[in-house]
Amino acid sequence: MSRSLHDMHVHTSDSPDAEIAAWELVRRGIQKGMSTIGFVAHLDLNPADYCYDSLDPPEYDYSISRAKHESDGRLTVLKGLEVGEPHRFQGKAKELVDYDEYDFIVGALHYLKDDVLILGEDAFLNGDPMGIVEGYYRETLRMVRGAEMNVLAHLGLFRRGMAMAGLDTSFDETGMWPELIGDILETLVRRGIALELNTSGLRRKEKVTYPALPVLKLYRELGGELVTVGSDSHRDPHVFYGLGEGYDMLREAGFDGFHTCSGRVFRKHRL
């Protein structure tokens, strides 16, 4: 039986780290039989970030409009925004954009401090790796408690940096910091924030989703229902990568569906 495919984390050439235009991604999505593409543009306000201050809202609006024209109703086009460290930069972000003009807001943690990038190898080669991981989760807890968002992106993204540094990424953080991880997931449930299952790690050295399966299972055990699936694709050959594997993981973790988000309102799709 064919699956209905909904990718809720797709980057476009509106961000400097991505290469494919939204309308072209829609064309490919139609060919692949996609039902939904949730586009996200980076809004990063940390000067150390590669995408710092790169968002052009009118240009992004035009790109989404052209993508919808290309779709002509054949798939659903959603306009999202990925805000880096929103608990630190939310005030400035809201001066630049109106969140209500977007279908969904994604909160993302890439930096622990201005210069500690958790998705690169340097932090793990020059510091205490497990201390960085614990610091990542403590900062994530601050973020989900204090920032406005609909979706928490790529929880566990530090595994990318660890793998680049040649470190083992197979540990289970739910056993190492059960109270801390539980606090994060319970906060998501309480605030109605969706947990994203990000499949981009499946195409990288670590060969794992963000979050890994134990975290996904714990979220479900704690009452988590809201979950999205996204490829986090930026360029070829990774467009819409790993969605089927992500759906299989959701089943394994005890979910019977996943969600898209339009107009800041979630819609469930059965697995």
Side-chain angles (χ1 to χ4, degrees):
M1 183 177 68
S2 62
R3 281 173 164 162
S4 178
L5 298 174
H6 307 258
D7 193 336
M8 285 293 290
H9 196 143
V10 180
H11 288 277
T12 75
S13 54
D14 296 284
S15 294
D17 63 344
E19 298 176 355
I20 307 173
W23 70 267
E24 168 64 15
L25 289 161
V26 165
R27 186 185 66 81
R28 297 187 192 187
I30 291 168
Q31 292 175 344
K32 189 177 177 65
M34 298 287 294
S35 296
T36 304
I37 301 178
F39 290 116
V40 288
H42 283 294
L43 177 54
D44 289 301
L45 297 171
N46 180 348
D49 196 284
Y50 180 76
C51 294
Y52 172 65
D53 201 23
S54 63
L55 179 67
D56 184 335
E59 188 65 28
Y60 184 43
D61 288 345
Y62 173 77
S63 294
I64 295 298
S65 178
R66 186 176 178 190
K68 289 181 177 180
H69 183 268
E70 180 73 23
S71 168
D72 194 26
R74 290 173 289 179
L75 61 74
T76 299
V77 173
L78 300 174
K79 184 177 78 166
L81 189 67
E82 180 178 343
V83 184
E85 295 77 53
H87 58 310
R88 296 177 56 198
F89 300 109
Q90 184 164 277
K92 179 63 173 177
K94 286 194 167 187
E95 291 177 7
L96 297 173
V97 299
D98 181 354
Y99 278 15
D100 289 335
E101 293 182 356
Y102 294 82
D103 286 305
F104 60 102
I105 304 297
V106 177
L109 184 63
H110 302 126
Y111 287 85
L112 298 191
K113 299 176 182 177
D114 285 346
D115 59 350
V116 180
L117 178 66
I118 57 90
L119 52 80
E121 63 182 14
D122 289 352
F124 295 97
L125 291 174
N126 298 320
D128 169 24
M130 299 316 291
I132 292 170
V133 173
E134 182 178 2
Y136 166 87
Y137 279 119
R138 294 197 181 281
E139 192 71 12
T140 296
L141 180 57
R142 285 189 280 271
M143 184 172 77
V144 298
R145 281 177 170 172
E148 181 180 344
M149 68 183 80
N150 302 108
V151 182
L152 172 62
H154 45 56
L155 183 65
L157 182 62
F158 57 80
R159 282 186 163 85
R160 175 177 167 184
M162 293 186 79
M164 292 171 66
L167 300 172
D168 177 34
T169 65
S170 64
F171 57 89
D172 178 2
E173 53 265 57
T174 66
M176 300 176 71
W177 303 286
E179 184 175 347
L180 175 57
I181 305 302
D183 282 349
I184 293 169
L185 301 178
E186 288 175 342
T187 300
L188 297 183
V189 174
R190 185 176 66 254
R191 295 194 63 201
I193 298 170
L195 176 65
E196 175 190 78
L197 180 61
N198 186 300
T199 62
S200 65
L202 295 173
R203 57 179 166 81
R204 298 184 182 278
K205 186 177 181 180
E206 57 269 32
K207 302 298 182 188
V208 68
T209 56
Y210 318 128
L213 186 59
V215 175
L216 194 63
K217 286 183 174 180
L218 179 59
Y219 175 63
R220 183 70 194 95
E221 291 169 7
L222 293 173
E225 288 278 355
L226 292 176
V227 62
T228 66
V229 182
S231 67
D232 203 351
S233 58
H234 289 68
R235 61 188 58 83
D236 286 324
H238 307 128
V239 176
F240 314 133
Y241 186 91
L243 299 178
E245 292 169 88
Y247 297 153
D248 289 341
M249 281 191 62
L250 289 180
R251 287 185 188 276
E252 186 176 352
F255 291 87
D256 63 2
F258 58 93
H259 295 76
T260 54
C261 188
S262 176
R264 316 287 297 280
V265 176
F266 287 103
R267 178 189 176 193
K268 185 171 184 177
H269 304 268
R270 295 288 177 179
L271 284 166

